[in-house]
Amino acid sequence: MFDQLTKLKEKAVREIKNSKVLKELHNLEVKYLGRKGELTKLLRQVKDLAAEEKPKFGQLGNEIKEELNQLISEIKFELNKKEKAGSSKEKWLDVTLPGRKFIKGHLHPNSLIQYQLEDVFSRMGFIILEGPELESEYYNFEALNIPPTHPARDMQDTFFIKDKTGWVMRTHTSNMQVRTIEKYQAPLRAVFPGRCFRYEATDVSHDTTFYQLEGLMIDKDISIDNLIAVMKVLLKEVLKREVKIRLRPGYFPFVEPGFELDVNCLICGGKGCPVCKHSGWVEMVPCGLVHPNVLKYGGLDPKEWSGFAFGLGLTRLVMMKYGIDDIRLLQSGDLRFLQQF
Ligand code: FA5
């Protein structure tokens, strides 16, 4: 038994010294010194020895136990140091290094002006609504007093939808007029900003996709004075300067009378350039008093209610505000252009 004890010690010392990681060392500690460990078991056999041998065996056993415990704690200390050094190397953070620059996006100039306009109109008591870009011919044309065979349909070159008869990509935000009257009735103040689509040859002031902001006000005794007052506030707030405007007759089947509100070209100062087609004026806000038939389509009595409507060319206003001389830049996705805003 004394022999067994010495051999067990030698084996344990060898294995403990060879352990490479803490986990392995822990397993050896359990293997030899645990409650069911090999040394523990051997020491329990003390009862089988002769009475005079018992104290010697017990003493040797305890010395070995102490030696192993000592060895284990020394090796544990070393392995701990090693493992900590390894893991902290991976997590090493040099706080003196310069940070990485975070590239932030920003609003498109169209959105900037749209939000500014929404703010101006909210302050004047208008609600802001969005409308569908894929629209029925009914709301895009018919409900606006433009029946299927009416030549006024030719005023707006339309994208029709293959295999979806009766539907178009909306040509203007006026599609929201009757939708809104149907839903909210009168009195009513609303603006509808949004994207419009036309099958047009593009040039510096025309694109196939552009933005408009439609306005609609319905109440008792609305007149052209109300319309002009609102237009003046709108242009002054957005352009932040007094601009010359002119009103001339314009034909739109859904207003009567109808007007074109032109702004003195801010690109050339009215001298004439490709954007204003060398006229000095840019067509910006077609408008007029809501046609009685449109009120009727919305379910209102034109004898009781009247209103004005306008269809601001939002993209053109953006051009005037920032002095952009080609509308196509706005949808180009060219970062050299967009990063200037
Ligand atoms: C209309 O779209 C009417 N719905 C406007 C309206 C509303 C009139 C309410 C009366 C009452 P027009 O086709 O003129 O009208 O377009 C309105 C504005 O949108 C134009 O003045 C112009 O600023 C802008 N616009 C029209 N076509 C284009 C285009 N291809 N590219 C960029 N802007 C355009």
Side-chain angles (χ1 to χ4, degrees):
M1 288 254 281
F2 281 86
D3 216 29
Q4 258 180 297
L5 204 54
T6 326
K7 278 193 182 136
L8 186 71
K9 176 194 151 186
E10 282 164 9
K11 189 168 128 238
V13 167
R14 217 173 30 248
E15 285 181 20
I16 288 168
K17 281 188 172 165
N18 275 340
S19 53
K20 300 274 180 297
V21 287
L22 281 169
K23 178 98 182 99
E24 191 184 348
L25 183 68
H26 175 72
N27 291 342
L28 289 172
E29 190 174 10
V30 176
K31 179 180 169 186
Y32 290 106
L33 302 173
R35 269 198 317 122
K36 291 179 187 165
E38 289 180 28
L39 181 66
T40 320
K41 270 191 213 158
L42 193 60
L43 289 179
R44 277 197 200 118
Q45 289 176 22
V46 71
K47 59 183 180 340
D48 304 327
L49 290 172
E52 68 279 12
E53 283 180 328
K54 277 184 186 168
K56 277 195 216 155
F57 188 81
Q59 194 187 347
L60 180 63
N62 279 340
E63 280 169 11
I64 292 175
K65 214 168 158 179
E66 238 179 78
E67 234 179 282
L68 291 182
N69 269 329
Q70 177 64 26
L71 182 65
I72 285 170
S73 53
E74 277 168 22
I75 300 219
K76 198 181 267 177
F77 179 72
E78 289 307 318
L79 290 179
N80 232 328
K81 226 164 56 179
K82 242 174 70 193
E83 288 187 14
K84 261 197 191 143
S87 62
S88 63
K89 208 174 202 173
E90 277 163 33
K91 286 182 197 147
W92 169 248
L93 173 69
D94 183 353
V95 290
T96 62
L97 279 176
R100 268 188 223 145
K101 201 172 170 195
F102 181 69
I103 301 168
K104 266 200 300 186
H106 59 87
L107 290 175
H108 189 281
N110 271 348
S111 310
L112 286 171
I113 299 298
Q114 180 183 321
Y115 297 158
Q116 205 177 334
L117 286 168
E118 287 178 5
D119 185 48
V120 174
F121 280 105
S122 305
R123 281 188 269 128
M124 289 194 279
F126 284 71
I127 52 168
I128 295 142
L129 300 172
E130 279 187 4
E133 292 177 350
L134 177 60
E135 183 57 287
S136 63
E137 281 189 54
Y138 174 77
Y139 284 116
N140 199 79
F141 294 122
E142 267 157 75
L144 292 171
N145 207 23
I146 315 175
T149 52
H150 197 286
R153 286 219 179 175
D154 294 342
M155 289 164 70
Q156 300 182 351
D157 300 306
T158 312
F159 286 111
F160 289 87
I161 306 297
K162 207 174 156 195
D163 304 329
K164 205 161 167 40
T165 322
W167 289 79
V168 297
M169 295 307 289
R170 70 168 168 196
T171 52
H172 50 181
T173 40
S174 304
N175 68 322
M176 280 297 285
Q177 286 193 19
V178 171
R179 280 181 178 278
T180 310
I181 302 172
E182 278 175 348
K183 188 165 176 190
Y184 295 96
Q185 295 291 286
L188 168 71
R189 287 179 203 190
V191 288
F192 337 110
R195 199 153 53 152
C196 310
F197 308 85
R198 293 197 197 169
Y199 183 55
E200 291 202 13
T202 64
D203 59 31
V204 291
S205 55
H206 293 84
D207 210 341
T208 52
T209 304
F210 57 96
Y211 288 79
Q212 287 186 344
L213 182 134
E214 186 95 359
L216 182 66
M217 178 168 178
I218 297 176
D219 213 317
K220 310 254 171 172
D221 304 321
I222 293 290
S223 74
I224 293 165
D225 276 348
N226 301 109
L227 169 65
I228 293 173
V230 170
M231 293 296 106
K232 278 190 173 162
V233 172
L234 147 80
L235 292 171
K236 197 174 169 196
E237 289 267 349
V238 175
L239 298 172
K240 303 276 181 232
R241 58 192 131 163
E242 292 290 344
V243 282
K244 267 201 246 166
I245 57 168
R246 73 175 185 189
L247 212 58
R248 58 192 164 90
Y251 172 65
F252 302 93
F254 37 96
V255 284
E256 179 58 41
F259 306 99
E260 287 285 1
L261 187 149
D262 299 335
V263 175
N264 197 235
C265 183
L266 297 177
I267 307 284
C268 62
K271 287 195 203 94
C273 70
V275 172
C276 59
K277 296 190 192 123
H278 303 281
S279 69
W281 296 94
V282 178
E283 182 190 301
M284 189 90 77
V285 202
C287 49
L289 296 184
V290 180
H291 196 286
N293 285 352
V294 175
L295 294 172
K296 278 191 214 157
Y297 273 113
L300 291 178
D301 180 358
K303 288 197 195 94
E304 193 182 346
W305 300 101
S306 53
F308 70 72
F310 61 88
L312 167 76
L314 182 59
T315 318
R316 295 241 180 112
L317 185 62
V318 173
M319 292 174 76
M320 290 299 114
K321 165 96 183 173
Y322 295 111
I324 299 165
D325 59 6
D326 191 334
I327 195 170
R328 292 164 294 195
L329 286 165
L330 286 155
Q331 300 280 338
S332 67
D334 187 338
L335 288 178
R336 288 168 306 173
F337 168 72
L338 290 173
Q339 275 163 353
Q340 299 174 64
F341 298 93

